[in-house]
Amino acid sequence: MTTGAPTRIREPKAVAWFLARRAVRLQGWRRTDALVRALVCGAGLMLVGLVMHRVELALMGLPLVVGLLLTKTPSGTPSVTSARGPDTVDAGLDAVVGVTVKPGEGAVLSALRMPLSTTPGVGPVHLLPAADGEVRTRLAWNAWGQGIYLRPDYLFASHDGLHVFGPVVGVAARHTVLPPIEPLVPGPLPPRAAGLVGAHRSTRAGDGMELRDIRPFQPGDRLRRIDWRVTLRTSAAVGGALVPQALHVRERHAEADADLILALDTRLDVAREVAEWNAHPVGTDVRQGGSLDLGVRAAASIAAAYLRNGDRVGLIDLGHPRGGVPAGAGHRQLQRIRHQLVHTARRVEGSGDPVLNHAQVPPGATVVVLSPFLDDQLVDVTVRLTRRGRVVLAVDLMPAELAADRTTPWGAAVVSIVRAEHAMRLRAMAGHGVVVVPWGHDGAGGQVAAILRRTRGRRR
């Protein structure tokens, strides 16, 4: 038996001709069902009048048939075009978007699909008079993520709805809404041991601004470091002679970089309703107010605060090791992190082991793990990272209150078990030196900064 390319089944010529004629009719103006029914009704009245010799019936159907046959089909080609908007916007902003409507000749009524101000997207259908102009609406981007913010579907109708053009699916305008940034006060981070230039004071001597010590001059010291006041006092004590033994120099602390690594758990997205944990949200990537939504907002806010402070910030995706962002500084790094947060949030799988290796974290970096901590594997990798000498801070994203599943009698028991296991994991991490902070209340960002400040003091 031989194998080869699959044989294509050819359609009959009659079917192909019918489909082609149907496509031609749908591409332009076409008669509606109302026009066809009126013609059939008028022709039926005339036929019945002729058969039954009822002149009044024939006279009733004749004007209807003649008038409909003389109805002119519109010749214009309506169009609805929208201006290209920005590909990236910040959450919390609003803007005015509009479409240009050209109904053409013969159109009287238009049905245009436009989004509302509170819900960007496809939107409902609006019935408007067919006229040249621009239709505008103001959109507010309250939720972050990727999607369609405008798709102007349209349909045009002639007088009495006898002919229609469309419906036509408009060109979808897509965009990326970056996570919002909450104002946070950053706390000082432990400096990297390998950094020699940065915004934080190191314990080693270097070319910083803060005075470390005053010591005698040694071979290799620069002349601009000489402290002439101490040198003159020392020379006066030995008789006023400026000898090499009287020279003293100022020794300063070196300024080092500080690295902050944000490890976000993108494997799970849980909300207050326990019954919806396994259900994928409809029409969006993440649940509004869920653990992943809180984690992305917290990561974006923390990254913005510490990058503004001059530190280096990186991102680790615990569910997808290749989806992280290496540590960097500057405004471009913040944009990279925000775009990557939107991209990683679309790949929630609900399973898999977390990946947080020692090699992913730069030497001397502070690690902030953001997760609801619903599995023991993440607790193990967090504790293992702490035992290697890392400064680790755990941000708990579990909702403060959980609603039991009312469709089963075991709903309340499930919530109790989940709460007990969650509290046990948090206590286990705290027992190994991991500081745990809940993010679901106001002032959590300031609490994170205060904990990092205390941690820096202990490290120094």
Side-chain angles (χ1 to χ4, degrees):
M1 182 177 63
T2 60
T3 59
T7 304
R8 183 178 178 180
I9 301 176
R10 296 182 178 180
E11 298 178 350
K13 293 184 178 180
V15 176
W17 178 85
F18 176 77
L19 295 177
R21 295 292 299 173
R22 181 182 180 185
V24 171
R25 292 199 309 268
L26 295 178
Q27 288 177 359
W29 289 95
R30 68 179 189 276
R31 301 182 182 90
T32 60
D33 295 339
L35 177 60
V36 175
R37 286 194 295 266
L39 285 174
V40 173
C41 181
L45 288 176
M46 293 179 59
L47 181 61
V48 172
L50 293 176
V51 172
M52 300 181 62
H53 303 284
R54 301 287 299 271
V55 181
E56 64 274 12
L57 293 180
L59 293 178
M60 291 176 58
L62 180 61
L64 185 61
V65 174
V66 173
L68 293 176
L69 291 177
L70 296 179
T71 301
K72 183 180 178 181
T73 303
S75 58
T77 303
S79 63
V80 176
T81 58
S82 59
R84 181 178 177 84
D87 296 333
T88 303
V89 295
D90 291 335
L93 301 180
D94 57 353
V96 176
V97 297
V99 296
T100 303
V101 180
K102 294 182 179 180
E105 183 181 358
V108 177
L109 181 66
S110 64
L112 181 62
R113 188 185 293 274
M114 290 288 288
L116 300 176
S117 59
T118 56
T119 56
V122 178
V125 177
H126 305 272
L127 298 178
L128 303 172
D132 291 341
E134 187 177 6
V135 180
R136 299 179 180 179
T137 182
R138 179 176 291 275
L139 299 181
W141 292 284
N142 298 322
W144 58 269
Q146 293 179 340
I148 299 174
Y149 71 93
L150 179 63
R151 198 188 73 186
D153 304 340
Y154 59 92
L155 180 143
F156 289 89
S158 63
H159 290 280
D160 298 327
L162 299 180
H163 296 84
V164 294
F165 184 93
V168 178
V169 179
V171 179
R174 298 180 177 272
H175 67 336
T176 300
V177 182
L178 299 180
I181 297 176
E182 300 177 3
L184 300 179
V185 179
L189 297 174
R192 282 195 308 140
L196 294 178
V197 178
H200 299 276
R201 192 193 75 176
S202 176
T203 56
R204 296 179 298 172
D207 295 331
M209 299 297 295
E210 188 174 351
L211 181 64
R212 184 173 184 265
D213 192 11
I214 296 178
R215 57 174 176 79
F217 184 86
Q218 297 177 0
D221 290 336
R222 298 182 180 180
L223 296 179
R224 64 185 179 87
R225 293 184 179 180
I226 296 178
D227 191 333
W228 292 106
R229 292 184 179 181
V230 178
T231 299
L232 293 177
R233 287 199 298 267
T234 304
S235 62
V238 296
L242 190 61
V243 295
Q245 292 77 11
L247 295 176
H248 285 72
V249 296
R250 288 176 173 265
E251 188 178 70
R252 302 181 183 276
H253 285 280
E255 294 180 348
D257 287 333
D259 287 350
L260 178 66
I261 302 299
L262 303 173
L264 179 62
D265 188 1
T266 59
R267 301 169 302 136
L268 302 172
D269 186 15
V270 297
R272 181 176 177 272
E273 298 290 338
V274 179
E276 299 179 357
W277 282 9
N278 291 330
H280 185 75
V282 179
T284 181
D285 297 328
V286 297
R287 295 182 176 88
Q288 297 298 322
S291 62
L292 190 54
D293 184 23
L294 292 179
V296 170
R297 293 173 182 267
S301 302
I302 295 174
Y306 284 92
L307 286 173
R308 194 182 306 115
N309 197 39
D311 299 322
R312 294 164 49 87
V313 181
L315 176 67
I316 295 178
D317 188 352
L318 297 176
H320 306 84
R322 297 183 180 179
V325 178
H331 180 71
R332 181 183 293 272
Q333 179 71 5
L334 176 60
Q335 295 300 104
R336 290 181 60 191
I337 291 177
R338 296 174 73 187
H339 278 86
Q340 191 62 28
L341 287 173
V342 175
H343 180 67
T344 56
R346 303 182 63 185
R347 301 181 297 178
V348 180
E349 297 179 355
S351 62
D353 296 335
V355 179
L356 183 58
N357 299 326
H358 180 72
Q360 295 177 275
V361 183
T366 303
V367 182
V368 178
V369 182
L370 302 101
S371 172
F373 296 102
L374 286 175
D375 55 347
D376 298 336
Q377 290 82 1
L378 184 56
V379 175
D380 294 338
V381 297
T382 304
V383 172
R384 191 180 305 115
L385 197 63
T386 306
R387 290 179 177 177
R388 292 179 176 270
R390 305 290 190 180
V391 178
V392 181
L393 175 65
V395 177
D396 182 21
L397 304 177
M398 176 69 75
E401 298 180 359
L402 295 179
D405 187 3
R406 298 182 179 179
T407 60
T408 174
W410 305 99
V414 170
V415 172
S416 301
I417 295 175
V418 170
R419 279 296 185 190
E421 292 180 348
H422 180 259
M424 181 181 63
R425 296 188 187 99
L426 298 185
R427 287 196 300 268
M429 289 190 297
H432 288 84
V434 180
V435 182
V436 182
V437 180
W439 189 264
H441 60 86
D442 296 335
Q447 188 176 359
V448 170
I451 292 174
L452 292 176
R453 187 179 299 109
R454 292 196 301 267
T455 305
R456 171 183 165 88
R458 289 198 299 267
R459 286 285 299 270
R460 291 175 56 187

